[in-house]
Amino acid sequence: GGGFLVFARRVQGKVCELPEVGRFERDQPFSCPAWIKVAANDGNGAICARMDREADYRGWDFWAQGRRVGMHLINSWPANGLQVVGQKQIPANKWVHVAVTYDGSSKASGVKVYYDGASQPVNVENDKLSETTLTDVPFLIGQRSTGEQFSGGLQDLRLFGRALSPAEVEAIANVSRYS
C-alpha cells in the first residue's frame, strides 16, 4: 500500500528503531517529511535511515549535511547509488519543515527536496543507481545503522509508501508542529 506508514513525535537526542518499517526497493516510491532544527555549525547526520554502513552503505536515508537536506539511495557507495541534496541551507536555530520524495525511478531526477512546503533546487552528487537497495538492518530515526547520528532537533517525522505530490507536501508543512 501507498499510505501512511509511521508517525514519530518528540524524537530528540535519542535513536528509535522500527525493524519492520521503511523496507523500500529502488523501484518503490516513498516520502519522508519532518520538522528539524539545527544549529548554525551543526545538523549533520541521518534524520532517518534504513542503511547498512557495513555493506557499502546499502539502503536509503533522509540526510542533513551543512544545514542542507537530501537523500541517498544506495546499492554500494559510491559506485551504485544516488545522492541529491538541496542547494540552499535551512535557517539555523529555527524549526523548519523539510521533506524528500522519491518516485521509484532509480534516477536522481526522481528525488525532490522541500523546505517549508516549497520545492528546492538540488545538487545531484551521484546518479548511478541500477541494483537493489534492500537491506536487513532496521529503520532508525536519528541515525544510520551505526554512526552518523543526527545532531539537530527532530519532530513529527512521517513516512509514506508513495511519492507525495507538491500540494500534499505543502499541506503537511502548513500543519502546526507538534509541541
Side-chain angles (χ1 to χ4, degrees), residues 82 84 101-103 105-112 122 124 126-127:
L82 304 179
V84 178
T101 66
Y102 172 63
D103 69 1
S105 65
S106 301
K107 301 285 182 200
S109 61
V111 176
K112 305 295 182 217
V122 296
V124 174
N126 203 346
D127 192 6

Side-chain angles (χ1 to χ4, degrees), residues 82-115:
L82 304 179
Q83 181 180 8
V84 178
V85 179
Q87 290 179 1
K88 296 178 184 173
Q89 289 184 310
I90 61 170
N93 304 310
K94 177 182 179 240
W95 285 103
V96 178
H97 188 269
V98 294
V100 291
T101 66
Y102 172 63
D103 69 1
S105 65
S106 301
K107 301 285 182 200
S109 61
V111 176
K112 305 295 182 217
V113 176
Y114 298 85
Y115 298 167

Side-chain angles (χ1 to χ4, degrees), residues 15-39:
V15 174
C16 177
E17 180 177 310
L18 300 166
E20 302 306 315
V21 172
R23 186 173 166 80
F24 298 121
E25 180 55 283
R26 68 183 178 92
D27 62 353
Q28 292 178 276
F30 64 98
S31 303
C32 296
W35 286 92
I36 65 171
K37 182 178 181 181
V38 297

Side-chain angles (χ1 to χ4, degrees), residues 133-150:
T133 55
L134 291 178
T135 179
D136 290 329
V137 298
F139 173 80
L140 297 175
I141 298 170
Q143 79 172 47
R144 290 178 177 164
S145 60
T146 57
E148 288 97 23
Q149 189 163 351
F150 180 65

